[in-house]
Amino acid sequence: MGKTLDNVYKHQSLAYKYFLYVVSVALIVFFFPKGGKFKYEFQKGKPWQYENLYAPIDFSIKKSQEEIAEEQQSIRNGKTDYYTFDTAVVAEVGEEIDKGLTTLFQSDSYSSQQRRTLSRLAQDLLEESYETGIFLDIPESKSVVVVKNNEALPMVPSNYLDVDGARQMIAERFSRLGISGALNASRLVQNSIKPNLLYDEALTQSALNDELSKISYTRGEVAQGKLIIAKGEIVEAEDFKVLNSLKDEYESELWLGNNYYFILLGYTILVALVLIMLFLFLKRYRNEIYRNNNKVTFIFFNILLMVLATTLMVKHYEDYIYVVPLCILPLILKNFFDARLGLFAHVLTVLILGFVVPNSFEYIFLQIIAGIVTILTASELYKRANLFISVGQITLIYIIGYFAFHAIHEGNLENIEWILFGVFVLNGLLTLFAQPLIYMFEKIFGLVSDVSLLELSDTNSKLLKELSDKAPGTFHHSLQVANLAEAAANEIGANAMLVRVGALYHDVGKMEHPTYFTENQITNVNPHDDLPPKESAKIIIEHVIHGIEIARKNNIPDRVIDFIRTHHGTTLVYYFFKKQQELEQEANEEDFRYPGPIPFSRETAILMMSDAVEAASKSLKNPTFTIIDDFVEKIVKGQMQANQFLNANITLKEIEMVKKVLKQKLTNIYHLRVEYPE
């Protein structure tokens, strides 16, 4: 049982990677649109590169979205407006006119004949005006239908009559009578006129919807076996529409029935192949990252995030697929790891998305070029201007690429979709969110970016300020080591910013007992004179442990704490060991040895060399070129003989380059000049 548990614990890291791999493949396939993939790639304006294509099935030629929109607009422009004939209004107006005339005729100024004439004319005008109905305003539509007694009666524009028109007609007819007092009767009738044709919005909209529903989304049929396009023939506009119709029909048919499982299997195999390439790359070329499950999870999380965002855009807003800022992926991975890994992961992600995006060749080409530009231009992201410059270049690449593909497809620069320029600009603006994303990922995954390293390198930060106050000599030593280590890291292509920050914090543990370290002793009194060598060695060794504790209390990232842990490796506190040997010949080395671990990266190895050289250089008296050369060689050789660099991925050539830089820097520090002959 014990051996079984040991095996489980031993292989749990590998088991987690298997689990992450399977889950990632399953999620990506689940994200993919539920549809098959047409086996031919084609573009308008380019030759058909395959054999003669005959229709494999009967299918309809689909109208384009532009054609359908044009038909819909045409129907809306020519829609029929429906009005309801309100008979109650006619009766109400008639009663109002009768009452008004009765009141008007009570005056003795009207004769019986005039009363009969005016009453008859008012009645005739009422019937004539309301025979077809009166609108409030003349309808703009040329097609008007009046619903009267549940019967739909079309009206011709010449019969349109509104309130103003009816009153004008009434005024003219009364003026022809030439009867005194007709003006009062005319005004009475005019004021009584009201519209009785009321707009029926619900009925109008219902009729419009019926017409829109009758639009056919296809135009013509293609019978099975008919030649669609011959080999080498240019894909013209009409051919392009037919091929797209076949593609849509083919893909929808593929996803039905038993084909579903085969398509699912095919997607799974292809995605699995792509992701296994990523694992192989990490294992072969980035083994340090491969062994760290947290970092592997971070990489897969970012890939899944890009795949999810893109597939959602394909499903819902296919025309705006370039809104997804895919170049955030290489930006973030380069910032946390390196350019090669960022580009490799980006290319694999683009290959995965190439299965589902429209115009896959165009998409893959543009995204890979944009990713390469991202890797080449994005550096030192802690400088805000660099990110803006990089994003501007990425956006420009998208725009130039779109121009080129449009020219190839159309053969001219007409019909350019200017909205895509806005899409590319929006893509660039979204790419700027790489900065807040980097901050979020640092907190979630415990990683360290150059932005955080820049903040930590500020000597006015709380912890470094405390170090300069409590142990000023150690602080000055740390600054000197940081300068040496940074120069050496730049020489061999290591992470100079990380080395500098590690050097600044590597001795923070000396704050616990600053006076026990010679650089902080401002008098000739040495507290070690009153302690046995073993006790002195213990205090010296414990500055590593104290440094780790202080760093963790101040939320210093683990990557920086690694420098505190490893800057002495497993070396001896040689001075006090020799003093102990003077007291007892059989002194135990383990009491005078640092606990380690030894350096495990180029950066931590550089710090160990720089720290030892800078500290020991304080003992040099009257240094010369030869003395400094021998001095550096002796210290680094001793570290190599003590096997301190066995776990660090630093080569002998790189160690030689580091020694060369250290010699040059020490020469500059001591202001050595060439001795001229007298």
Side-chain angles (χ1 to χ4, degrees):
M1 183 65 179
K3 289 183 178 180
T4 303
L5 289 176
D6 287 342
N7 287 331
V8 170
Y9 292 133
K10 185 178 179 180
H11 296 97
Q12 65 178 347
S13 177
L14 186 60
Y16 175 79
K17 289 182 177 67
Y18 283 133
F19 171 76
L20 181 64
Y21 175 73
V22 172
V23 169
S24 299
V25 172
L27 285 175
I28 291 174
V29 174
F30 176 77
F31 292 155
F32 278 179
K34 300 300 183 287
K37 190 71 176 173
F38 195 48
K39 58 184 177 181
Y40 301 111
E41 286 285 338
F42 57 90
Q43 293 179 342
K44 187 165 66 171
K46 295 188 68 175
W48 179 257
Q49 300 175 348
Y50 309 97
E51 296 298 326
N52 294 354
L53 178 62
Y54 296 90
I57 54 175
D58 294 332
F59 67 94
S60 302
I61 303 174
K62 295 183 177 180
K63 295 178 182 176
S64 66
Q65 292 297 325
E66 292 77 13
E67 290 174 323
I68 295 171
E70 188 177 340
E71 286 189 35
Q72 290 174 339
Q73 190 59 44
S74 176
I75 290 174
R76 289 190 180 95
N77 293 339
K79 70 181 178 68
T80 298
D81 289 338
Y82 283 81
Y83 287 81
T84 302
F85 190 97
D86 192 343
T87 54
V89 171
V90 180
E92 180 183 336
V93 171
E95 291 179 4
E96 185 176 337
I97 291 174
D98 289 342
K99 290 180 181 179
L101 288 176
T102 301
T103 304
L104 181 65
F105 292 159
Q106 288 177 356
S107 172
D108 295 336
S109 59
Y110 291 95
S111 64
S112 300
Q113 182 62 33
Q114 288 176 332
R115 292 173 183 173
R116 284 195 297 273
T117 301
L118 292 174
S119 296
R120 189 182 307 111
L121 179 58
Q123 185 65 36
D124 292 341
L125 288 174
L126 181 64
E127 293 177 359
E128 185 178 340
S129 299
Y130 284 105
E131 181 180 359
T132 56
I134 299 175
F135 297 98
L136 178 62
D137 296 300
I138 297 294
E140 294 180 0
S141 176
K142 294 182 180 179
S143 178
V144 171
V145 171
V146 175
V147 179
K148 184 177 182 181
N149 298 326
N150 293 325
E151 184 180 359
L153 304 172
M155 284 186 69
V156 294
S158 58
N159 291 336
Y160 291 176
L161 185 66
D162 63 356
V163 172
D164 292 338
R167 289 172 178 171
Q168 185 178 355
M169 179 188 71
I170 292 168
E172 290 176 357
R173 295 285 291 276
F174 271 99
S175 65
R176 294 176 192 170
L177 292 178
I179 300 175
S180 61
L183 181 59
N184 292 331
S186 174
R187 288 175 179 171
L188 172 66
V189 176
Q190 289 180 52
N191 292 335
S192 300
I193 292 298
K194 296 177 183 177
N196 75 317
L197 295 181
L198 307 177
Y199 181 67
D200 193 332
E201 185 176 357
L203 186 57
T204 301
Q205 188 61 43
S206 176
L208 176 61
N209 291 339
D210 287 342
E211 291 298 318
L212 290 174
S213 66
K214 295 176 183 177
I215 292 178
S216 173
Y217 289 86
T218 62
R219 50 178 184 80
E221 298 280 335
V222 176
Q224 183 177 358
K226 181 181 178 181
L227 176 65
I228 296 175
I229 191 168
K231 183 178 181 180
E233 186 179 342
I234 300 298
V235 180
E236 302 290 353
E238 190 61 32
D239 298 325
F240 188 72
K241 292 176 183 177
V242 174
L243 287 170
N244 269 327
S245 299
L246 175 60
K247 178 182 177 181
D248 293 341
E249 187 73 22
Y250 187 80
E251 291 179 350
S252 62
E253 289 289 334
L254 269 178
W255 201 250
L256 300 175
N258 294 330
N259 291 333
Y260 172 89
Y261 301 103
F262 286 103
I263 293 170
L264 203 63
L265 177 64
Y267 275 150
T268 303
I269 292 173
L270 291 176
V271 173
L273 284 174
V274 172
L275 292 186
I276 206 169
M277 293 302 106
L278 179 58
F279 266 119
L280 291 175
F281 175 84
L282 292 175
K283 184 173 177 59
R284 186 174 180 84
Y285 299 107
R286 300 291 182 273
N287 199 255
E288 179 188 347
I289 297 174
Y290 177 79
R291 293 197 304 269
N292 189 319
N293 282 342
N294 183 53
K295 293 179 179 179
V296 174
T297 304
F298 172 72
I299 294 169
F300 273 76
F301 174 80
N302 278 277
I303 292 175
L304 289 173
L305 191 64
M306 291 296 106
V307 172
L308 172 61
T310 306
T311 50
L312 285 176
M313 193 62 69
V314 170
K315 288 179 182 179
H316 302 292
Y317 305 101
E318 187 177 282
D319 293 338
Y320 303 104
I321 190 172
Y322 286 101
V323 167
V324 180
L326 208 62
C327 288
I328 280 184
L329 179 62
L331 263 178
I332 289 176
L333 294 185
K334 180 184 178 182
N335 186 74
F336 283 110
F337 305 113
D338 61 83
R340 190 176 176 188
L341 174 57
L343 181 60
F344 191 82
H346 176 72
V347 171
L348 292 182
T349 305
V350 172
L351 290 177
I352 290 174
L353 295 174
F355 301 148
V356 295
V357 297
N359 299 320
S360 57
F361 172 78
E362 178 180 330
Y363 180 84
I364 291 173
F365 182 90
L366 282 178
Q367 294 292 9
I368 289 179
I369 292 296
I372 292 173
V373 170
T374 303
I375 292 297
L376 294 178
T377 60
S379 60
E380 298 179 328
L381 290 183
Y382 53 84
K383 298 178 181 178
R384 289 171 294 181
N386 288 357
L387 180 60
F388 281 94
I389 292 170
S390 179
V391 167
Q393 292 172 329
I394 293 168
T395 305
L396 184 62
I397 285 296
Y398 279 127
I399 292 173
I400 293 173
Y402 168 70
F403 262 118
F405 277 108
H406 183 83
I408 292 171
H409 296 164
E410 302 293 335
N412 55 57
L413 295 181
E414 298 175 2
N415 302 320
I416 290 178
E417 296 182 34
W418 297 103
I419 192 173
L420 280 178
F421 295 145
V423 169
F424 295 140
V425 171
L426 181 57
N427 179 292
L429 293 175
L430 291 175
T431 305
L432 292 174
F433 277 89
Q435 282 283 21
L437 276 177
I438 288 170
Y439 177 79
M440 289 170 55
F441 288 147
E442 285 179 337
K443 301 304 179 185
I444 295 172
F445 291 93
L447 301 173
V448 181
S449 69
D450 286 348
V451 179
S452 293
L453 291 176
L454 181 66
E455 294 174 354
L456 290 169
S457 67
D458 182 7
T459 54
N460 288 317
S461 63
K462 178 184 175 183
L463 185 54
L464 291 181
K465 199 74 174 173
E466 186 180 356
L467 177 63
S468 67
D469 292 338
K470 291 184 176 180
T474 299
F475 178 71
H476 183 264
H477 159 72
S478 298
L479 286 176
Q480 293 282 54
V481 173
N483 292 332
L484 292 174
E486 183 179 18
N490 280 323
E491 184 69 20
I492 68 171
N495 191 331
M497 179 66 76
L498 179 61
V499 172
R500 180 173 183 82
V501 173
L504 289 173
Y505 288 89
H506 79 284
D507 271 344
V508 291
K510 291 182 179 180
M511 287 192 297
E512 290 290 316
H513 305 289
T515 57
Y516 284 86
F517 300 90
T518 56
E519 67 266 23
N520 298 311
Q521 295 169 1
I522 57 177
T523 65
N524 292 327
V525 178
N526 189 340
H528 288 291
D529 295 340
D530 300 325
L531 296 175
K534 189 179 294 187
E535 188 67 25
S536 294
K538 181 182 178 184
I539 293 173
I540 299 296
I541 291 171
E542 282 182 344
H543 88 272
V544 174
I545 306 300
H546 293 151
I548 295 172
E549 293 172 351
I550 292 170
R552 284 180 175 161
K553 286 179 182 177
N554 286 271
N555 297 317
I556 302 299
D558 287 339
R559 285 185 74 186
V560 178
I561 293 177
D562 287 339
F563 287 89
I564 301 175
R565 295 167 54 226
T566 61
H567 74 278
H568 284 297
T570 55
T571 57
L572 278 174
V573 184
Y574 193 74
Y575 176 80
F576 291 110
F577 176 65
K578 282 299 181 183
K579 288 189 69 175
Q580 184 67 25
Q581 279 188 327
E582 293 174 3
L583 300 176
E584 55 172 322
Q585 190 67 29
E586 300 298 327
N588 186 5
E589 279 191 9
E590 295 305 315
D591 294 334
F592 298 86
R593 190 176 295 281
Y594 284 97
I598 61 176
F600 50 80
S601 66
R602 292 192 299 174
E603 288 78 14
T604 50
I606 289 171
L607 177 62
M608 172 178 274
M609 288 184 271
S610 302
D611 180 44
V613 167
E614 202 284 330
S617 69
K618 296 295 188 294
S619 64
L620 292 176
K621 297 177 180 178
N622 301 320
T624 63
F625 291 106
T626 304
I627 291 175
I628 289 176
D629 188 277
D630 294 341
F631 166 75
V632 173
E633 290 288 345
K634 178 183 177 181
I635 289 179
V636 176
K637 182 180 179 181
Q639 291 173 336
M640 294 176 67
Q641 288 176 343
N643 297 323
Q644 296 301 300
F645 304 139
L646 286 181
N647 292 341
N649 58 336
I650 189 169
T651 63
L652 290 174
K653 180 181 178 180
E654 289 172 338
I655 291 175
E656 290 298 320
M657 294 168 69
V658 170
K659 290 193 294 185
K660 180 181 176 182
V661 171
L662 295 177
K663 293 171 186 177
Q664 290 174 346
K665 287 293 181 181
L666 285 179
T667 301
N668 294 334
I669 290 171
Y670 288 104
H671 306 290
L672 297 182
R673 291 181 174 87
V674 175
E675 296 180 4
Y676 295 97
E678 296 182 359

Coordinates of all heavy atoms in Angstrom, one line a residue, residues 101 104-121 179-180:
L101 N -76.9 74.8 -37.4 CA -77.8 75.5 -38.4 C -79.1 75.9 -37.7 O -79.6 77.0 -38.0 CB -78.1 74.6 -39.6 CG -76.9 74.3 -40.5 CD1 -77.3 73.3 -41.6 CD2 -76.4 75.6 -41.2
L104 N -78.4 78.9 -35.9 CA -78.1 80.0 -36.8 C -79.4 80.5 -37.5 O -79.5 81.8 -37.6 CB -77.1 79.5 -37.9 CG -76.7 80.5 -39.0 CD1 -75.8 81.6 -38.3 CD2 -75.9 79.8 -40.0
F105 N -80.3 79.6 -37.8 CA -81.5 80.1 -38.5 C -82.6 80.7 -37.6 O -83.6 81.1 -38.1 CB -82.1 78.9 -39.2 CG -81.3 78.4 -40.4 CD1 -81.5 77.0 -40.8 CD2 -80.4 79.2 -41.0 CE1 -80.7 76.6 -41.9 CE2 -79.6 78.7 -42.0 CZ -79.8 77.4 -42.5
Q106 N -82.4 80.7 -36.3 CA -83.3 81.4 -35.4 C -83.3 82.9 -35.7 O -84.2 83.6 -35.2 CB -82.9 81.1 -34.0 CG -83.2 79.7 -33.5 CD -82.8 79.4 -32.1 OE1 -82.2 80.2 -31.5 NE2 -83.1 78.2 -31.6
S107 N -82.3 83.4 -36.4 CA -82.2 84.8 -36.7 C -83.3 85.1 -37.8 O -83.5 84.3 -38.7 CB -80.8 85.2 -37.1 OG -80.8 86.5 -37.6
D108 N -83.9 86.3 -37.8 CA -84.9 86.7 -38.8 C -84.2 87.1 -40.1 O -84.9 87.4 -41.1 CB -85.7 87.9 -38.3 CG -86.5 87.6 -37.0 OD1 -86.8 86.3 -36.9 OD2 -86.8 88.5 -36.2
S109 N -82.9 87.1 -40.2 CA -82.2 87.5 -41.4 C -82.3 86.5 -42.5 O -81.8 86.8 -43.6 CB -80.8 87.9 -41.1 OG -80.1 86.8 -40.6
Y110 N -82.7 85.3 -42.2 CA -82.8 84.2 -43.2 C -84.2 83.9 -43.6 O -85.1 83.8 -42.7 CB -82.1 82.9 -42.6 CG -80.7 83.0 -42.4 CD1 -80.1 83.3 -41.1 CD2 -79.8 82.7 -43.5 CE1 -78.8 83.4 -40.9 CE2 -78.4 82.8 -43.2 CZ -77.9 83.1 -42.0 OH -76.6 83.2 -41.8
S111 N -84.4 83.9 -44.9 CA -85.8 83.5 -45.4 C -85.9 82.0 -45.4 O -84.9 81.3 -45.3 CB -86.0 84.1 -46.8 OG -85.1 83.5 -47.7
S112 N -87.1 81.5 -45.6 CA -87.4 80.1 -45.7 C -86.6 79.4 -46.8 O -86.1 78.3 -46.7 CB -88.9 79.8 -45.8 OG -89.6 80.3 -44.7
Q113 N -86.6 80.1 -47.9 CA -85.9 79.6 -49.1 C -84.4 79.4 -48.8 O -83.7 78.4 -49.1 CB -86.1 80.5 -50.3 CG -85.4 80.0 -51.6 CD -85.9 78.6 -52.1 OE1 -87.1 78.3 -51.9 NE2 -85.1 77.9 -52.7
Q114 N -83.8 80.5 -48.2 CA -82.3 80.5 -47.9 C -82.0 79.3 -46.9 O -81.0 78.7 -47.0 CB -81.9 81.8 -47.3 CG -81.9 82.9 -48.3 CD -81.6 84.3 -47.7 OE1 -81.9 84.5 -46.5 NE2 -81.0 85.2 -48.5
R115 N -82.9 79.2 -45.9 CA -82.7 78.1 -44.9 C -82.7 76.7 -45.6 O -81.8 75.9 -45.3 CB -83.8 78.1 -43.8 CG -83.7 79.4 -43.0 CD -84.9 79.5 -42.0 NE -84.8 80.7 -41.2 CZ -85.8 81.1 -40.4 NH1 -86.9 80.4 -40.3 NH2 -85.6 82.2 -39.7
R116 N -83.7 76.5 -46.5 CA -83.7 75.2 -47.2 C -82.5 75.0 -48.1 O -81.9 73.9 -48.1 CB -85.0 75.1 -48.1 CG -86.2 74.9 -47.2 CD -87.4 74.4 -48.1 NE -87.7 75.5 -49.1 CZ -88.6 76.5 -48.9 NH1 -89.2 76.6 -47.7 NH2 -88.9 77.4 -49.8
T117 N -82.1 76.1 -48.8 CA -80.9 76.0 -49.7 C -79.6 75.7 -48.9 O -78.8 74.8 -49.3 CB -80.7 77.3 -50.5 OG1 -81.9 77.5 -51.2 CG2 -79.5 77.2 -51.4
L118 N -79.4 76.4 -47.8 CA -78.2 76.2 -47.0 C -78.2 74.9 -46.3 O -77.2 74.2 -46.2 CB -78.1 77.3 -45.9 CG -77.8 78.8 -46.5 CD1 -77.8 79.8 -45.4 CD2 -76.4 78.8 -47.2
S119 N -79.3 74.4 -45.8 CA -79.4 73.1 -45.2 C -79.1 72.0 -46.2 O -78.4 71.0 -45.9 CB -80.8 72.9 -44.5 OG -81.0 73.8 -43.5
R120 N -79.7 72.1 -47.4 CA -79.5 71.1 -48.4 C -78.1 71.0 -48.8 O -77.5 69.9 -49.0 CB -80.4 71.3 -49.6 CG -80.4 70.2 -50.6 CD -81.3 70.5 -51.8 NE -82.6 70.9 -51.5 CZ -83.1 72.1 -51.7 NH1 -82.3 73.1 -52.2 NH2 -84.3 72.4 -51.3
L121 N -77.4 72.2 -49.0 CA -76.0 72.2 -49.4 C -75.1 71.6 -48.3 O -74.2 70.8 -48.6 CB -75.6 73.6 -49.7 CG -74.1 73.8 -50.1 CD1 -73.8 73.0 -51.4 CD2 -73.8 75.3 -50.4
I179 N -75.6 83.9 -51.5 CA -76.6 84.1 -50.6 C -76.0 84.9 -49.4 O -75.0 84.5 -48.9 CB -77.3 82.8 -50.1 CG1 -78.0 82.1 -51.3 CG2 -78.4 83.1 -49.1 CD1 -78.5 80.8 -50.9
S180 N -76.7 85.9 -49.0 CA -76.2 86.6 -47.8 C -76.4 85.7 -46.6 O -77.4 85.0 -46.4 CB -77.0 87.9 -47.6 OG -78.4 87.6 -47.4

